[in-house]
């Protein structure tokens, strides 16, 4: 495996931030990964594992080693009358996996179509969209522990999955090398999400193919394509607050957009930001997208600091007006 020094990361992050890495290597196998890790460990270098770079904000320089996960491969573990078990390498493109499973008649992932990034990053924040979360399909996550050098499976119940959360966000020494999924062969298409129901309203009994087409159509309409307008998807998570706090807010703001979330209440961060007047606003080359206010975009030469300054100002206005804290979703390095 080759490690280059002083490498530009501009093509490795969907915000196209002009960051550089002191060292950079592409990981195509477990051996590559072990080699990269021992290089880092011997020199006590900070490590950044990168997938598609669609959920990161990269500062000007990473004074360590960036390893980009490019391991490919898909393995059929078990096929029964009811489900299929597959193991997929971390470097595979997530959307390509959704399409290939759908084409093979293995369903359920259609609601998660067009989410950028790699399979290995999907468990990190338990990716979710249109009423579905990836944890519903994950059987186990294969990791290599940077500290011990050991490789082992972590079962779904041990992954600490919650709404846009997992243990992998906290335990940075765990590097995901593969993900095992169980896909039912005949699930009912999940069309509960309002935007999806609306898109499918002229179809009496939507099929999985209809759901796939609808999700792709809505996303293409509403979300900026990072290849055209660099972005990292939603910059803020939807805040989850307790029922008592919500009751106070609802009294002051009767139109507040919300859904039940476990014991608490999930607020639509987009609604909060919109109410504070940020839609389409721009500060230098850092901007708020016109159609989806949670998406911050790089209009050209924005740097991490510009986006983080804009994000801080948005969060401050939401805090002042609603008394609600917004948390940034992408990881900052
Ligand atoms: P990266 O950005 O490369 O990495 C993200 C984090 O995971 C980093 O901390 C990185 O160190 C870590 N990481 C990556 N790979 C590994 C690995 N193999 N082992 C250990 N750590 C690793 N997210 C959603 O949940 N739902 C959506 O609907 C959605 N829509 C999006 C739409 C757009 C236009 C964009 C740009 C982003 C969207 N996202 C969405 C966010 C993003 O696509 C997901 O979080 C995705 O899983 C990130 O994958 P990645 O490979 O790009 O990860
Ligand atoms: P939307 O349909 O305009 O809805 C706004 C918010 O309301 C979403 O965040 C969603 O929460 C919530 N919501 C809507 N209907 C819901 C329901 N029936 N039950 C519970 N919550 C509901 O959202 P959008 O911005 O166009 O995004 C569509 C989907 O893609 C969402 O699931 C969103 O999470 C996902 N997405 C994620 C990212 C990212 O980077 N994380 C980027 C783009 C889109 P949830 O977010 O919890 O679904």
């Amino acid at each position: 495996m080759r490690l280059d020094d002083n490498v530009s990361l501009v093509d490795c992050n969907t915000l196209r931030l002009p960051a550089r890495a002191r060292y950079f290597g592409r990981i195509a196998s477990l051996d590559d990964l072990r080699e990269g890790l021992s290089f880092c460990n011997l020199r006590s270098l900070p490590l950044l594992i990168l997938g598609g770079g669609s959920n990161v904000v990269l500062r000007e320089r990473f004074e360590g080693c960036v390893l980009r996960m490019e391991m490919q491969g898909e393995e059929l573990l078990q096929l029964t009358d009811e489900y299929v078990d597959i193991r997929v390498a971390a470097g595979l493109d997530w959307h390509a996996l959704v399409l290939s499973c759908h084409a093979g008649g293995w369903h359920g992932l259609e609601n998660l179509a067009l989410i950028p990034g790699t399979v290995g990053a999907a468990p990190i924040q338990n990716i979710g969209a249109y009423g579905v979360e990836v944890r519903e399909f994950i059987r186990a996550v294969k990791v290599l522990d940077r500290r011990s050098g050991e490789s082992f499976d972590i079962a779904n119940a041990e992954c600490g999955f919650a709404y846009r959360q997992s243990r992998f966000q906290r335990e940075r020494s765990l590097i995901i090398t593969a993900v095992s999924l169980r896909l039912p062969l005949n699930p009912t298409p999940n069309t509960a999400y309002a935007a999806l129901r609306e898109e499918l309203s002229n179809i009496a009994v939507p099929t999985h193919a209809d759901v796939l087409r609808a999700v792709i159509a809505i996303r293409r309409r509403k979300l900026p394509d990072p290849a055209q307008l660099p972005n990292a998807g939603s910059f803020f998570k939807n805040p989850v607050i307790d029922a008592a706090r919500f009751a106070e807010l609802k009294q002051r703001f009767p139109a507040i957009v919300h859904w039940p979330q476990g014991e608490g209440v999930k607020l639509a961060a987009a609604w909060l930001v919109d109410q504070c007047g940020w839609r389409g606003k721009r500060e230098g080359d850092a901007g708020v997208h016109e159609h989806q206010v949670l998406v911050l975009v790089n209009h050209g030469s924005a740097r991490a600091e510009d986006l983080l300054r804009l994000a801080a100002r948005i969060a401050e206005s939401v805090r002042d007006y609603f008394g609600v804290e917004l948390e940034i979703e992408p990881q900052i390095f």
Side-chain angles (χ1 to χ4, degrees):
M1 196 245 327
R2 208 175 85 191
L3 276 170
D4 294 317
D5 57 358
N6 193 27
V7 173
S8 166
L9 299 174
V10 73
D11 293 330
C12 299
N13 74 100
T14 61
L15 272 165
R16 292 196 63 77
L17 297 171
R20 298 192 86 80
R22 183 165 167 200
Y23 298 104
F24 177 86
R26 297 176 186 278
I27 304 298
S29 66
L30 209 54
D31 285 346
D32 283 354
L33 183 57
R34 288 191 190 282
E35 210 182 307
L37 290 179
S38 75
F39 179 88
C40 284
N41 290 345
L42 277 172
R43 292 161 184 78
S44 303
L45 287 171
L47 170 70
L48 166 53
I49 298 289
L50 212 52
S54 65
N55 212 22
V56 290
V57 177
L58 302 179
R59 294 185 191 275
E60 218 136 301
R61 193 165 167 84
F62 185 76
E63 281 299 344
C65 186
V66 174
L67 299 179
R68 188 172 185 190
M69 297 298 276
E70 296 185 354
M71 300 158 92
Q72 302 291 308
E74 221 178 305
E75 205 182 331
L76 177 67
L77 301 178
Q78 185 180 194
L79 180 62
T80 74
D81 291 342
E82 287 162 24
Y83 57 79
V84 62
D85 287 343
I86 53 173
R87 182 159 48 219
V88 190
L92 211 83
D93 178 71
W94 173 261
H95 181 62
L97 175 69
V98 172
L99 294 183
S100 77
C101 288
H102 175 79
W106 306 338
H107 298 301
L109 300 182
E110 287 83 358
N111 299 55
L112 302 177
L114 226 56
I115 298 182
T118 52
V119 168
I124 305 274
Q125 70 157 5
N126 174 27
I127 56 168
Y130 302 96
V132 168
E133 292 180 3
V134 73
R135 68 166 155 183
E136 296 163 40
F137 304 97
I138 290 179
R139 286 193 71 217
V141 173
K142 196 174 190 74
V143 297
L144 180 71
D145 189 334
R146 182 188 176 182
R147 287 167 313 184
S148 65
E150 280 175 34
S151 175
F152 50 92
D153 270 339
I154 300 181
N156 179 309
E158 309 303 319
C159 290
F161 288 131
Y163 178 61
R164 303 293 188 273
Q165 276 177 47
S166 77
R167 69 186 279 187
F168 307 109
Q169 291 164 319
R170 301 180 295 276
E171 294 178 54
R172 307 297 304 181
S173 70
L174 298 178
I175 300 167
I176 297 175
T177 55
V179 180
S180 298
L181 300 161
R182 173 167 291 179
L183 301 173
L185 298 185
N186 290 305
T188 309
N190 183 333
T191 56
Y193 196 91
L196 201 48
R197 260 204 324 272
E198 202 176 304
E199 186 77 14
L200 293 165
S201 59
N202 58 346
I203 302 176
V205 185
T207 62
H208 294 288
D210 294 325
V211 172
L212 181 67
R213 262 194 305 273
V215 169
I216 290 175
I218 304 172
R219 293 186 77 105
R220 290 222 165 107
R221 231 172 21 235
K222 190 165 177 185
L223 292 168
D225 176 354
Q228 313 292 328
L229 185 54
N231 72 86
S234 300
F235 219 83
F236 299 104
K237 294 182 184 178
N238 287 328
V240 178
I241 60 174
D242 64 41
R245 174 88 189 89
F246 175 70
E248 285 167 30
L249 273 175
K250 176 89 179 142
Q251 214 160 35
R252 283 175 54 213
F253 307 100
I256 193 164
V257 180
H258 65 284
W259 286 272
Q261 180 72 43
E263 304 281 281
V265 180
K266 176 179 81 177
L267 305 179
W271 186 83
L272 302 172
V273 173
D274 216 3
Q275 295 299 302
C276 292
W278 286 102
R279 185 172 290 270
K281 289 278 161 60
R282 180 170 172 167
E283 292 185 354
D285 271 350
V288 178
H289 192 246
E290 190 68 46
H291 298 145
Q292 215 311 4
V293 295
L294 291 189
V295 178
L296 300 194
V297 297
N298 177 1
H299 285 290
S301 57
R303 293 174 176 266
E305 289 65 30
D306 303 320
L307 285 156
L308 293 172
R309 195 179 315 112
L310 175 60
R313 281 170 42 72
I314 293 170
E316 190 185 343
S317 66
V318 169
R319 187 184 309 119
D320 288 350
Y321 195 52
F322 295 102
V324 172
E325 285 298 329
L326 287 185
E327 195 188 329
I328 289 180
E329 182 180 290
Q331 310 271 313
I332 303 160
F333 295 97

